[in-house]
Amino acid sequence: MLVIKLALRNLLRNRRRTILSLLLIAFGTAALFLFRGYGVDVAAMTRESAIRQVWHLRIATEAFWDGERYGYDYLIAPEVLAGVREILAEEPQVVSYTTGLSLMGLLGTEEKGTTTFLAIGVEPGNPVPPPEIKEGRPLKDGDLGAMLITQDLARELGLQPGDNLVVKARTIDGLYHAANAEVAGIYHVPGLGGNMVIAPVSFNQMMRGTDRISTIAVKLADHGATEEVALRVQRALEENDLAGLRVKTWQELADFHHQLVLFLNLIFGFIGLVIFVLVFFSVLEALTMAFFERIREVGTVRAIGTRRHQVFGMFLSEGVLLGLFSGLLGVALGWGIGSLINVAGLTYNSP
Amino acid sequence: MGNRVSYQRRRAHLQLPIAGETLPFRIALGLDVAWAPFLLGLVATTISAIYPAYRAAKLEIASALRFV
């Protein structure tokens, strides 16, 4: 206790030097706090975004995940899908799921020309987070030839909700197939390509001449249960002779999220190292100066019976106290600036 | 000869439509954020105090009092 009291007195004795060291460490701590706070928030947002995009689990065939096969043997047959539906129905963590099948081809009208497109197939009745509909309506149950198109595509082809389109695509047998479709709505999602169309999975199946699907996206009630449910579902698939299917978690599929977290950690580590070195040398200098100024004092306290380790403790306590106070001040400062930034409500568009 | 389906094209299957949004510029303010900067400052300060403390502890009484 006496050591702490003495350390405090010594810190207060040379206030200017103490305040300078305190401010330097506090600003360094605050800067680190703010950067880390930003990094944690960005990581949480990309995690949410990744989950919204791929959902918690994806089920597909091994061939689909391998990625370098020929033909369409990677598609999931209806009888296999029925087995998966049974397994998912028994899993309490599953909130919803949707089957998917994409489609590529040409779409357009005779008057306005054609362009290429990539259609994401979804089950309209499923609570997929709907994109922002700018005009028209979202997809609904029973829609077959209805599509949501991007604003870019609507502009390019001069399309409006209710307009009819001719869609041409190749079936899995390699034949060309044309069908009519209607523009149900025009949506906007930053980052999704200008020719990205959202269509009912049944439409994509019809166009590709198959009753199969490529993946099943599963949404869970609890993020934290992802790994555990993935293992359970995988085990259930194997027990039900559906071993050709493999479950992947969003963590396995969200490359961008992992890269971003790694990048932010690297930057945090670098800034942390710079601030560490800065604090180290400035405090070293301040305390060494204090030592030289107090040589006589050290001799006196040693002469009246103070042991070496007590002198060591006295100086070390000064450093620890300085670190504690400036750390707390830095966190408080970072907290204050962070709160101001949060209150200001600044926004930016995701890259 | 079958149709070659590229990996990129299969990856397109993974995408579901997401709600477009403008992202808020926010700073997470929890204790889980604060501990690392606080600890880093504390450790840097403590380590930098070791050398002066060692020098002070090693000081001989006679040589220190020479300045009196």
Side-chain angles (χ1 to χ4, degrees), chain A residues 140-347:
Chain A
K140 59 177 193 290
D141 266 340
D143 273 340
L144 177 62
M147 286 181 156
L148 297 177
I149 63 170
T150 60
Q151 285 178 305
D152 292 342
L153 201 57
R155 238 188 328 265
E156 186 185 338
L157 296 177
L159 294 170
Q160 291 192 338
D163 282 356
N164 286 314
L165 293 168
V166 176
V167 180
K168 294 170 190 166
R170 214 163 56 161
T171 66
I172 62 170
D173 299 322
L175 304 170
Y176 283 94
H177 188 187
N180 288 321
E182 182 199 340
V183 178
I186 297 169
Y187 77 93
H188 173 67
V189 174
L192 273 193
N195 61 353
M196 191 79 86
V197 166
I198 302 168
V201 70
S202 50
F203 179 76
N204 289 3
Q205 285 176 318
M206 186 265 288
M207 289 301 295
R208 295 185 76 172
T210 182
D211 53 1
R212 299 176 172 219
I213 52 115
S214 58
T215 64
I216 303 150
V218 183
K219 191 171 191 174
L220 304 179
D222 177 18
H223 288 343
T226 304
E227 292 283 343
E228 179 194 321
V229 178
L231 282 173
R232 261 202 313 262
V233 173
Q234 185 65 57
R235 209 177 305 126
L237 289 171
E238 284 160 16
E239 283 166 7
N240 287 277
D241 292 330
L242 301 170
L245 296 177
R246 204 166 110 224
V247 182
K248 282 202 177 193
T249 63
W250 71 267
Q251 287 103 323
E252 290 174 85
L253 299 168
D255 305 339
F256 175 72
H257 171 74
H258 298 305
Q259 282 165 11
L260 187 76
V261 168
L262 184 71
F263 176 69
L264 289 170
N265 283 341
L266 275 175
I267 293 187
F268 180 77
F270 179 72
I271 296 177
L273 187 71
V274 169
I275 289 175
F276 186 92
V277 170
L278 211 67
V279 166
F280 177 82
F281 282 108
S282 62
V283 176
L284 181 69
E285 193 206 356
L287 291 179
T288 308
M289 286 289 289
F291 159 70
F292 281 120
E293 282 169 11
R294 282 155 53 189
I295 285 182
R296 282 177 296 176
E297 179 191 312
V298 172
T300 310
V301 293
R302 287 276 289 115
I304 60 172
T306 311
R307 314 289 290 245
R308 285 186 195 279
H309 73 268
Q310 288 174 310
V311 174
F312 182 85
M314 231 164 63
F315 273 81
L316 193 68
S317 311
E318 282 179 44
V320 173
L321 281 182
L322 191 68
L324 270 176
F325 291 140
S326 45
L328 288 175
L329 183 69
V331 167
L333 197 68
W335 198 294
I337 297 172
S339 301
L340 282 178
I341 291 172
N342 290 351
V343 167
L346 306 174
T347 57

Side-chain angles (χ1 to χ4, degrees), chain A residues 65-81:
Chain A
W65 294 125
D66 286 349
E68 288 299 338
R69 297 256 183 110
Y70 290 87
Y72 289 94
D73 53 345
Y74 67 90
L75 294 178
I76 300 171
E79 57 276 16
V80 176
L81 177 61

Side-chain angles (χ1 to χ4, degrees), chain A residues 52-53 58 71 102 346 348, chain B residues 3 13-15 21 23 25:
Chain A
R52 272 204 305 273
Q53 218 164 339
R58 280 292 173 121
S102 67
L346 306 174
Y348 64 98
Chain B
N3 298 312
H13 291 299
L14 290 174
Q15 211 155 24
E21 59 198 346
L23 301 174
F25 182 80

Side-chain angles (χ1 to χ4, degrees), chain A residues 105-127:
Chain A
L106 294 168
L107 63 74
T109 60
E110 266 185 36
E111 308 83 51
K112 293 162 183 167
T114 58
T115 188
T116 55
F117 75 95
L118 170 63
I120 303 169
V122 296
E123 293 176 11
N126 197 287

